[in-house]
Coordinates of all heavy atoms in Angstrom, one line a residue:
L88 N 70.2 6.9 -137.4 CA 69.9 8.4 -137.6 C 71.2 9.2 -137.7 O 71.2 10.3 -138.2 CB 69.0 8.9 -136.5 CG 67.6 8.5 -136.5 CD1 66.8 9.2 -135.4 CD2 66.9 8.7 -137.9
L89 N 72.3 8.6 -137.2 CA 73.6 9.4 -137.2 C 74.2 9.4 -138.7 O 75.1 10.1 -139.0 CB 74.6 8.8 -136.2 CG 74.2 8.9 -134.8 CD1 75.3 8.3 -133.9 CD2 74.0 10.4 -134.4
D90 N 73.6 8.5 -139.5 CA 74.1 8.4 -140.9 C 73.2 9.3 -141.8 O 72.2 8.8 -142.3 CB 74.1 6.9 -141.3 CG 74.6 6.7 -142.7 OD1 74.8 7.7 -143.5 OD2 74.8 5.5 -143.1
S91 N 73.5 10.6 -141.9 CA 72.6 11.5 -142.6 C 72.5 11.2 -144.0 O 71.4 11.4 -144.6 CB 73.0 12.9 -142.3 OG 74.3 13.1 -142.5
A92 N 73.5 10.6 -144.7 CA 73.4 10.2 -146.1 C 72.3 9.1 -146.3 O 71.5 9.2 -147.2 CB 74.7 9.8 -146.7
A93 N 72.4 8.1 -145.4 CA 71.4 7.0 -145.5 C 70.0 7.5 -145.2 O 69.0 7.1 -145.9 CB 71.8 5.9 -144.5
L94 N 69.9 8.4 -144.3 CA 68.6 9.0 -143.9 C 68.0 9.7 -145.1 O 66.8 9.6 -145.5 CB 68.8 9.9 -142.7 CG 67.6 10.5 -142.0 CD1 66.7 9.4 -141.6 CD2 68.1 11.3 -140.8
D95 N 68.9 10.5 -145.7 CA 68.5 11.3 -146.9 C 67.9 10.4 -148.0 O 66.9 10.6 -148.6 CB 69.6 12.1 -147.4 CG 69.2 13.1 -148.6 OD1 68.4 13.9 -148.3 OD2 69.6 12.8 -149.7
S96 N 68.6 9.2 -148.2 CA 68.2 8.3 -149.3 C 66.8 7.7 -149.0 O 66.1 7.3 -149.9 CB 69.3 7.3 -149.6 OG 69.3 6.3 -148.6
V97 N 66.5 7.6 -147.7 CA 65.1 7.1 -147.4 C 64.1 8.1 -147.9 O 63.1 7.6 -148.5 CB 64.9 6.9 -145.8 CG1 63.5 6.6 -145.5 CG2 65.9 5.9 -145.3
F98 N 64.3 9.3 -147.7 CA 63.3 10.3 -148.2 C 63.3 10.4 -149.8 O 62.3 10.6 -150.4 CB 63.6 11.7 -147.6 CG 63.2 11.9 -146.2 CD1 64.1 11.6 -145.2 CD2 61.9 12.3 -145.9 CE1 63.7 11.7 -143.8 CE2 61.5 12.5 -144.5 CZ 62.4 12.2 -143.5
V99 N 64.5 10.2 -150.3 CA 64.6 10.1 -151.8 C 63.8 8.9 -152.4 O 63.1 9.1 -153.3 CB 66.1 10.1 -152.3 CG1 66.2 9.9 -153.8 CG2 66.8 11.4 -151.9
Q100 N 64.0 7.8 -151.7 CA 63.3 6.6 -152.2 C 61.8 6.6 -152.0 O 61.1 5.9 -152.6 CB 63.8 5.3 -151.4 CG 65.2 4.8 -151.8 CD 65.6 3.7 -150.8 OE1 64.9 2.8 -150.6 NE2 66.8 3.9 -150.3
H101 N 61.4 7.4 -151.0 CA 60.0 7.5 -150.6 C 59.5 8.9 -150.6 O 59.2 9.5 -149.6 CB 59.8 6.9 -149.2 CG 60.1 5.4 -149.2 ND1 59.2 4.4 -149.7 CD2 61.2 4.8 -148.8 CE1 59.8 3.2 -149.6 NE2 61.0 3.4 -149.1
P102 N 59.4 9.5 -151.8 CA 59.1 10.9 -151.9 C 57.7 11.3 -151.4 O 57.4 12.5 -151.2 CB 59.2 11.2 -153.4 CG 59.2 9.9 -154.1 CD 59.7 8.9 -153.1
T103 N 56.9 10.3 -151.2 CA 55.5 10.6 -150.7 C 55.3 10.5 -149.2 O 54.2 10.5 -148.7 CB 54.5 9.6 -151.4 OG1 54.9 8.3 -151.2 CG2 54.4 9.9 -152.9
I104 N 56.5 10.4 -148.5 CA 56.4 10.4 -147.0 C 55.6 11.7 -146.6 O 56.1 12.8 -147.0 CB 57.7 10.3 -146.3 CG1 58.3 8.9 -146.5 CG2 57.6 10.7 -144.8 CD1 59.7 8.7 -146.0
D105 N 54.6 11.6 -145.8 CA 53.7 12.7 -145.5 C 54.0 13.2 -144.1 O 53.8 14.4 -143.8 CB 52.3 12.2 -145.6 CG 51.3 13.1 -145.0 OD1 51.0 14.1 -145.6 OD2 50.8 12.8 -143.9
S106 N 54.4 12.3 -143.2 CA 54.6 12.6 -141.8 C 55.6 11.6 -141.2 O 55.9 10.6 -141.7 CB 53.3 12.6 -141.0 OG 52.6 11.4 -141.3
V107 N 56.1 12.0 -140.0 CA 57.1 11.2 -139.3 C 56.6 11.0 -137.8 O 56.0 11.9 -137.2 CB 58.4 12.0 -139.2 CG1 59.5 11.2 -138.4 CG2 58.9 12.2 -140.6
I108 N 56.8 9.7 -137.3 CA 56.7 9.5 -135.9 C 58.1 9.2 -135.4 O 58.7 8.2 -135.9 CB 55.7 8.4 -135.5 CG1 54.4 8.7 -136.1 CG2 55.6 8.3 -134.0 CD1 53.3 7.6 -135.8
H109 N 58.6 10.0 -134.5 CA 60.1 9.9 -134.1 C 60.2 9.2 -132.7 O 60.1 9.9 -131.7 CB 60.7 11.3 -134.1 CG 62.1 11.3 -133.8 ND1 63.0 10.3 -133.9 CD2 62.9 12.4 -133.2 CE1 64.2 10.6 -133.5 NE2 64.1 11.9 -133.1
F110 N 60.5 7.9 -132.8 CA 60.7 7.1 -131.5 C 62.2 6.9 -131.2 O 62.5 6.7 -130.1 CB 60.1 5.7 -131.7 CG 58.6 5.6 -131.8 CD1 58.0 5.3 -133.0 CD2 57.8 5.8 -130.6 CE1 56.6 5.2 -133.1 CE2 56.4 5.6 -130.7 CZ 55.8 5.4 -131.9
A111 N 63.0 6.9 -132.3 CA 64.4 6.4 -132.1 C 65.1 7.2 -131.1 O 65.3 8.4 -131.2 CB 65.1 6.4 -133.4
A112 N 65.6 6.6 -130.0 CA 66.4 7.3 -129.0 C 66.9 6.2 -128.0 O 66.3 5.2 -127.8 CB 65.6 8.3 -128.2
L113 N 68.1 6.6 -127.4 CA 68.5 5.8 -126.2 C 67.7 6.2 -125.0 O 67.3 7.4 -124.9 CB 70.0 6.1 -126.0 CG 71.0 5.6 -127.1 CD1 72.4 6.0 -126.7 CD2 70.9 4.1 -127.3
K114 N 67.3 5.3 -124.1 CA 66.3 5.7 -123.1 C 66.6 5.2 -121.7 O 65.6 5.3 -120.9 CB 65.0 5.2 -123.6 CG 64.9 3.7 -123.8 CD 63.5 3.1 -124.0 CE 63.5 1.6 -123.9 NZ 62.2 1.0 -124.1
A115 N 67.8 4.7 -121.4 CA 68.0 4.2 -120.0 C 68.6 5.4 -119.1 O 69.7 5.9 -119.4 CB 68.9 3.0 -120.0
V116 N 67.8 5.8 -118.1 CA 68.3 6.9 -117.3 C 69.7 6.7 -116.7 O 70.5 7.5 -116.8 CB 67.2 7.1 -116.2 CG1 67.7 8.2 -115.2 CG2 65.9 7.5 -116.7
G117 N 69.9 5.5 -116.1 CA 71.1 5.2 -115.4 C 72.3 5.3 -116.3 O 73.4 5.9 -116.1
E118 N 72.1 4.7 -117.5 CA 73.2 4.6 -118.5 C 73.5 6.1 -119.0 O 74.6 6.4 -119.3 CB 72.7 3.8 -119.7 CG 73.8 3.5 -120.7 CD 73.2 2.7 -121.9 OE1 72.2 3.2 -122.5 OE2 73.8 1.7 -122.3
S119 N 72.4 6.9 -119.1 CA 72.6 8.3 -119.6 C 73.5 9.1 -118.6 O 74.2 10.0 -119.0 CB 71.3 9.0 -119.8 OG 70.7 9.5 -118.6
V120 N 73.5 8.7 -117.3 CA 74.3 9.4 -116.3 C 75.7 9.0 -116.5 O 76.7 9.8 -116.4 CB 73.8 9.1 -114.9 CG1 74.7 9.8 -113.9 CG2 72.4 9.6 -114.7
E121 N 75.9 7.7 -116.9 CA 77.3 7.2 -117.0 C 77.9 7.6 -118.4 O 79.1 7.8 -118.5 CB 77.3 5.7 -116.9 CG 77.2 5.2 -115.5 CD 76.7 3.8 -115.5 OE1 76.8 3.0 -116.4 OE2 76.0 3.5 -114.4
K122 N 77.1 7.7 -119.4 CA 77.6 7.9 -120.8 C 76.8 9.1 -121.4 O 76.2 8.9 -122.4 CB 77.4 6.7 -121.6 CG 78.0 5.5 -121.1 CD 77.7 4.3 -122.0 CE 78.2 3.0 -121.5 NZ 77.7 1.9 -122.3
P123 N 76.9 10.3 -120.8 CA 76.1 11.4 -121.3 C 76.4 11.7 -122.8 O 75.5 12.0 -123.6 CB 76.5 12.6 -120.4 CG 77.7 12.2 -119.7 CD 77.7 10.7 -119.6
L124 N 77.7 11.6 -123.2 CA 78.0 12.0 -124.6 C 77.4 11.1 -125.6 O 76.9 11.5 -126.7 CB 79.5 12.0 -124.8 CG 80.2 13.2 -124.1 CD1 81.7 13.2 -124.4 CD2 79.6 14.6 -124.6
D125 N 77.3 9.8 -125.2 CA 76.6 8.8 -126.1 C 75.1 9.3 -126.3 O 74.5 9.2 -127.4 CB 76.6 7.4 -125.5 CG 77.9 6.7 -125.6 OD1 78.9 7.4 -126.1 OD2 78.1 5.6 -125.2
Y126 N 74.5 9.7 -125.2 CA 73.1 10.1 -125.2 C 72.9 11.4 -126.0 O 72.0 11.5 -126.8 CB 72.5 10.2 -123.8 CG 72.0 8.8 -123.3 CD1 72.9 7.8 -123.1 CD2 70.6 8.6 -123.2 CE1 72.4 6.5 -122.8 CE2 70.2 7.3 -122.9 CZ 71.1 6.3 -122.7 OH 70.6 5.0 -122.4
Y127 N 73.8 12.4 -125.8 CA 73.6 13.6 -126.5 C 73.9 13.4 -128.0 O 73.1 13.9 -128.9 CB 74.5 14.7 -125.9 CG 74.0 15.2 -124.6 CD1 74.6 15.0 -123.4 CD2 72.8 16.0 -124.6 CE1 74.1 15.4 -122.2 CE2 72.3 16.5 -123.4 CZ 72.9 16.2 -122.2 OH 72.4 16.6 -121.0
T128 N 74.9 12.6 -128.3 CA 75.2 12.3 -129.7 C 74.0 11.6 -130.4 O 73.5 12.0 -131.4 CB 76.5 11.5 -129.9 OG1 77.5 12.2 -129.2 CG2 76.9 11.3 -131.3
N129 N 73.6 10.5 -129.8 CA 72.6 9.7 -130.4 C 71.3 10.4 -130.5 O 70.6 10.5 -131.6 CB 72.3 8.4 -129.6 CG 72.9 7.2 -130.2 OD1 72.5 6.6 -131.1 ND2 74.1 6.9 -129.6
N130 N 70.8 11.0 -129.4 CA 69.5 11.6 -129.4 C 69.4 12.9 -130.0 O 68.5 13.2 -130.8 CB 69.0 11.6 -127.9 CG 68.8 10.3 -127.3 OD1 69.1 9.2 -128.0 ND2 68.3 10.2 -126.1
I131 N 70.4 13.8 -129.8 CA 70.4 15.1 -130.3 C 70.9 15.2 -131.8 O 70.1 15.7 -132.7 CB 71.2 16.1 -129.5 CG1 70.7 16.1 -128.0 CG2 71.1 17.5 -130.1 CD1 69.3 16.5 -127.8
T132 N 72.0 14.6 -132.0 CA 72.5 14.7 -133.4 C 71.6 13.9 -134.3 O 71.3 14.3 -135.4 CB 74.0 14.1 -133.5 OG1 74.8 14.8 -132.5 CG2 74.6 14.3 -134.8
G133 N 71.1 12.7 -133.8 CA 70.2 11.9 -134.6 C 69.0 12.7 -134.9 O 68.5 12.7 -136.1
S134 N 68.4 13.4 -134.0 CA 67.2 14.2 -134.2 C 67.5 15.3 -135.1 O 66.6 15.6 -136.0 CB 66.6 14.7 -132.9 OG 66.2 13.6 -132.1

Side-chain angles (χ1 to χ4, degrees):
L88 291 185
L89 295 180
D90 183 348
S91 45
L94 188 56
D95 186 63
S96 75
V97 173
F98 285 90
V99 171
Q100 282 173 53
H101 297 278
T103 55
I104 288 172
D105 167 76
S106 51
V107 175
I108 305 183
H109 180 24
F110 291 105
L113 296 176
K114 60 168 189 178
V116 173
E118 186 184 55
S119 81
V120 175
E121 282 157 27
K122 301 176 186 170
L124 288 178
D125 287 1
Y126 272 66
Y127 287 108
T128 304
N129 260 282
N130 294 3
I131 304 299
T132 308
S134 295

